[in-house]
Amino acid sequence: MNEKNLSSISDSEWEVMRIVWTLGETHTKQILKELRAKKDWSDSTIKTLIRRLVQKGWLTAKHEGRRYTYTATVSQTDMMYNEAKTLLNRMCDMHKGEVILKLLKDSPISKGDLMKMQEEISQKEKTAPNMVPCNCLKNGSTIC
Amino acid sequence: MNEKNLSSISDSEWEVMRIVWTLGETHTKQILKELRAKKDWSDSTIKTLIRRLVQKGWLTAKHEGRRYTYTATVSQTDMMYNEAKTLLNRMCDMHKGEVILKLLKDSPISKGDLMKMQEEISQKEKTAPNMVPCNCLKNGSTIC
DNA sequence: TCCTTTCGTTTACAAATGTAATCATATAAC
DNA sequence: GTTATATGATTACATTTGTAAACGAAAGGA
């Protein structure tokens, strides 16, 4: 049941999700408040985004009186990971390492995560190839 | 001159770029050929994508006779990196480590890149925080 | 009870994207 | 030279996204 046929999430929608993830179960008022502080969007815009997120199945709307209470249907890390994966999927295998390295450099990372990475890398090193071939062409060049 | 005001690149357009990056200087015929092998797109569609890429400035079209020769104006890794960066920018700081770790796990990476990562991690460990605070709300919760 | 907020709902509209047909023309093949 | 082919240019059209106005009903205040 985790594989609903969800469409992807857009930039602005993502911004709304962040609020919901952080606040947990919440309602329009709160979302409006938080987004007013972060973004220069009209309330109308924000309401549209919420509506679309519900339509798309990323938010659940529980009717309470005339209001709604919203909850995210996916965890933030799942969503983050999926988006990241989708992105890497369009990219050439050969250069993924380089890109991940750059992300690593540019992102703030906790000691704990760094240690896990350390470990993962040690594991991978055992069987890592000297070079990952390019997969940009159906058949042909292994270098790009 | 590297900071043209380029719009972003779409999924399908990316697929065209991969071909050009791999082939280097090339022309429609080649692009069509490679993409016919990979994608189920009509020639028309591919031609539209090429045109849009030229418009957007991602491809340069040099007129030679009645044909064009196309060249990419950005390197693949630059583009990959930018896209990855854009993606991470929308995400909560707190969870970036986790996501990068997952990408690391799921991507094929060469020995060389792994070593560079090893090093980078050692560097970062020196000053890494125990926890990276959430930045989803303008001011408020540091945890999400 | 009447007015004013607050929400949810409906409608709008331009730009970007996915996907393609058609048409004119330059070329290559016959 | 005439025809078939390749190629660029024009036009099309539905969907998604960004961004928002407007309207109606409910709820809270006065």
Side-chain angles (χ1 to χ4, degrees):
Chain A
M1 205 216 79
N2 214 2
E3 279 305 312
K4 322 151 199 174
N5 57 342
L6 301 162
S7 11
S8 190
I9 191 172
S10 79
D11 259 36
S12 320
E13 286 164 359
W14 186 284
E15 215 51 61
V16 176
M17 291 302 289
R18 288 183 71 174
I19 306 297
V20 180
W21 280 318
T22 308
L23 298 177
E25 200 171 82
T26 186
H27 35 77
T28 308
K29 192 194 187 98
Q30 273 292 302
I31 300 177
L32 284 175
K33 181 178 156 215
E34 297 297 343
L35 279 178
R36 280 195 200 118
K38 278 185 85 178
K39 297 283 171 179
D40 196 25
W41 291 339
S42 81
D43 287 5
S44 230
T45 298
I46 299 171
K47 284 189 268 181
T48 299
L49 293 173
I50 296 174
R51 186 171 45 73
R52 288 184 186 162
L53 283 167
V54 172
Q55 263 175 204
K56 289 183 175 183
W58 296 114
L59 287 182
T60 289
K62 201 180 356 169
H63 221 166
E64 296 195 333
R66 69 272 117 217
R67 311 282 164 79
Y68 286 108
T69 302
Y70 300 102
T71 330
T73 60
V74 235
S75 79
Q76 175 164 209
T77 43
D78 278 4
M79 179 84 92
M80 285 172 77
Y81 177 59
N82 271 321
E83 293 292 304
K85 182 109 175 247
T86 300
L87 183 69
L88 276 209
N89 273 343
R90 336 183 3 252
M91 296 182 173
C92 174
D93 273 358
M94 189 172 183
H95 300 286
K96 288 180 182 169
E98 240 176 298
V99 171
I100 294 177
L101 176 61
K102 268 216 160 196
L103 294 180
L104 189 57
K105 281 189 184 163
D106 288 11
S107 305
I109 303 183
S110 72
K111 278 198 194 338
D113 284 339
L114 284 176
M115 280 181 68
K116 286 186 207 151
M117 288 180 191
Q118 198 75 266
E119 256 174 59
E120 177 62 26
I121 290 177
S122 303
Q123 280 306 311
K124 281 183 95 84
E125 265 173 344
K126 293 180 193 157
T127 56
N130 287 316
M131 176 185 258
V132 178
C134 157
N135 64 334
C136 290
L137 305 188
K138 179 84 175 196
N139 36 29
S141 179
T142 50
I143 290 195
C144 64
Chain B
M1 205 217 78
N2 213 2
E3 279 305 313
K4 323 152 200 172
N5 56 340
L6 300 164
S7 11
S8 190
I9 192 173
S10 79
D11 260 35
S12 321
E13 286 164 0
W14 188 283
E15 215 51 60
V16 176
M17 290 302 289
R18 287 181 72 175
I19 305 298
V20 180
W21 280 318
T22 308
L23 298 177
E25 199 170 82
T26 186
H27 36 78
T28 308
K29 191 194 188 97
Q30 273 292 303
I31 299 177
L32 284 176
K33 181 179 156 218
E34 297 297 343
L35 278 179
R36 280 194 201 118
K38 278 186 83 179
K39 296 283 170 179
D40 196 25
W41 292 338
S42 81
D43 287 5
S44 231
T45 299
I46 300 171
K47 284 189 268 181
T48 300
L49 292 173
I50 295 174
R51 186 170 44 74
R52 287 183 186 162
L53 284 167
V54 172
Q55 263 174 208
K56 290 183 176 184
W58 297 113
L59 287 183
T60 290
K62 201 179 357 168
H63 221 165
E64 296 195 334
R66 71 273 116 217
R67 313 278 166 81
Y68 287 108
T69 301
Y70 300 103
T71 329
T73 60
V74 235
S75 79
Q76 176 164 209
T77 43
D78 278 4
M79 180 83 92
M80 286 173 77
Y81 177 59
N82 271 321
E83 294 291 305
K85 182 108 175 249
T86 301
L87 183 70
L88 275 208
N89 272 344
R90 345 198 295 306
M91 296 182 172
C92 176
D93 272 358
M94 189 172 183
H95 300 287
K96 288 180 183 170
E98 240 176 298
V99 171
I100 294 177
L101 176 61
K102 268 215 159 198
L103 294 179
L104 190 56
K105 282 188 184 165
D106 287 11
S107 306
I109 303 183
S110 72
K111 277 197 193 340
D113 284 339
L114 285 176
M115 281 181 67
K116 286 185 206 151
M117 288 179 191
Q118 198 74 268
E119 256 174 60
E120 177 61 27
I121 290 177
S122 303
Q123 280 307 311
K124 282 182 96 83
E125 265 173 344
K126 293 181 192 156
T127 56
N130 286 315
M131 175 185 259
V132 178
C134 156
N135 64 334
C136 290
L137 305 188
K138 179 83 174 197
N139 37 29
S141 179
T142 51
I143 290 195
C144 64

